[in-house]
Amino acid sequence: MFTPKRASLTLAAVTGLLVVGGLAADAALSPTPEGFTTERSADLAAQIDPSKPRNVILIIGDGMDDSMITAARNYEYGAGGRFPALDALPFTGAMTTYGLKAGAGPDYPKAYVSDSAPTASGWSTGKKTIDGRVSQGPSAAGNIPGENYETVLEKYQAEGKLVGNVTTSEITDATPAAAAAHMSQRGCQGPTDMTACATEKKSAGGLGAIAEQLVDHKIDVLLGGGKNRYVQATDAGPSVLDYATTTKGYRLVENKAALDGVTSLAGGPVLGLFSGGNMTPRYNPLVATPPPGAGGPTARCTDADRANQPDLSAMTAKAIDLLDNPDGFFLQAESAMIDKQEHASDICGAIGDLRELDEAVQVALDYQVANPDTLVIVTGDHSHSTQIVGGVTDGKQTATLLTADGDPMTVAYSTSDVGSDHTGAQIRVAASGPQAANVTGVIDQTDLFRTLLGRTPSVLPGGQPAVVKPAVSVAADGPISRSELQRRGVQVAVAATGATTVKVSLSKGDKTLTTRTLSARGGTTTLQAKTGPGVVKVVATAVGAGGTTKATKSVRVTR
Ligand SMILES: [Zn+2]
């Protein structure tokens, strides 16, 4: 029996605050279902940081468009809920993702619907290319290689930063491949998959298969699925795996416990291959079918058995832990199975891996709290087919689930009779940290290239970030009886920005009954007091460089 989630009093109950840096990790950032209630200009201004980031973490949800985010949010948190991390990022924009079609050039026809190869190449290289192509320029046909384009990961590696590449698909799949490999056709992943890319084989003087290129790069942390590509024999004889471990010094890990056991890069780069092919999605499938469709008004997703595979947040946390160093790092982490499960018209698979992406974003934001010179960008690569529709007959294939609201939601897939394909709408891009403001407005995927590399710092008006008055909000439960107030106390939640000291007190008339000191960001606590019936006031006080701000909430005390 499913019980819709009932929010207890948490920071999420505090309205209207947009909070700096580390607090991006907190639910306090999310508006209530009623929306942001305070004027936010000062808070947003305080978060604009023009400095160049030391670390850059790019988190990709493959196929993660607004429709898919909304469906997953409805299911996991309800229509008025918010993803704690993904929806808390302070700067959000819209991003176009179109690509090119093969042709005579130099002006190539536009492709309004792209696959993951040109889209990932877009942010990796800053240039558009054609379907199937991995960080290589366009050409007259798919089987004619284009010019190799240098990637963000390659540039950072050349600068001496550590680099990581994490995914839940095969590590050789298009999105992770585009970070550091160059290939005319995305299917050329292992040395024995090279028929369509014969001139790019190592034995033909090329860079070799994607699997080989990734280890030739000595990417410091390489985690995902795709072991089947690595057991293939290279043109020279040994498997890619042998080549990686003997010639390139990689340490192979194949399960979560082994990954946990790696605690530094001192022993060499890490190659984690946790599955022969793609890794297992979080939820078991619920595959849409022709109307009246799959599932139903009481259907919920169930956890899949992922054996000893690590999940995306565990891989992301480990990658950050290993890459963390004074000179900085670049990490790309992808929740790949959102897209794969959308291709399969599997709503549960896609929802589970979007939730998993949110957890990975939380890991990145937690790191950002202690390392505020870290830019975190979260986006997708292209839009997809999942639509939220009004009825079970509103599409070629439909599925219905019970959401966290306790209401049924139907999704449809209508690009095909069986399975589903990409679509061409712009997608969401969001960010937090230095230079995060560059994702706002309408940008193109290729603009991310320069943002990921860190742009030349600009100067804010006034020469430095303005000192803003602290902002504070308070929420409290109530009414409460005299005896309850004395015994368990009134629960309060406070959220603050721009403060160095935050206190919350309970008062009646002029008399302060009790006071507690919270962290500079606020927090939750209980205030107990012995008093008679009437109205007491919960007063939150935030003191910072910009002055003092108070917020008050009245609570009725009953007999
Ligand atoms: Zn796809």
Side-chain angles (χ1 to χ4, degrees), residues 62-63 114-116 186 336 339-340 342-343 381-384 420-422:
D62 204 304
S114 290
D115 76 58
S116 295
R186 59 180 287 178
D339 168 84
K340 307 280 186 212
E342 288 186 282
H343 280 297
D381 53 352
H382 52 72
S383 60
H384 216 301
S420 295
D421 293 315
H422 301 179

Side-chain angles (χ1 to χ4, degrees), residues 65 67-68 71 342 347 350 384-388 411-413 420-421:
D65 59 16
S67 188
M68 190 60 233
E342 288 186 282
I347 185 60
H384 216 301
S385 46
T386 308
Q387 286 185 298
I388 304 164
V411 296
Y413 301 85
S420 295
D421 293 315

Side-chain angles (χ1 to χ4, degrees), residues 10 244 262 284 310 411 504:
T10 65
V262 180
N284 288 311
V411 296
V504 62

Side-chain angles (χ1 to χ4, degrees), residues 38 53 123 210 250 275 298 337 375 401 410 481 534:
T38 56
W123 72 70
I210 291 167
Y250 269 100
S275 167
T298 60
M337 302 306 286
L375 170 64
L401 282 169
T410 298
S481 70

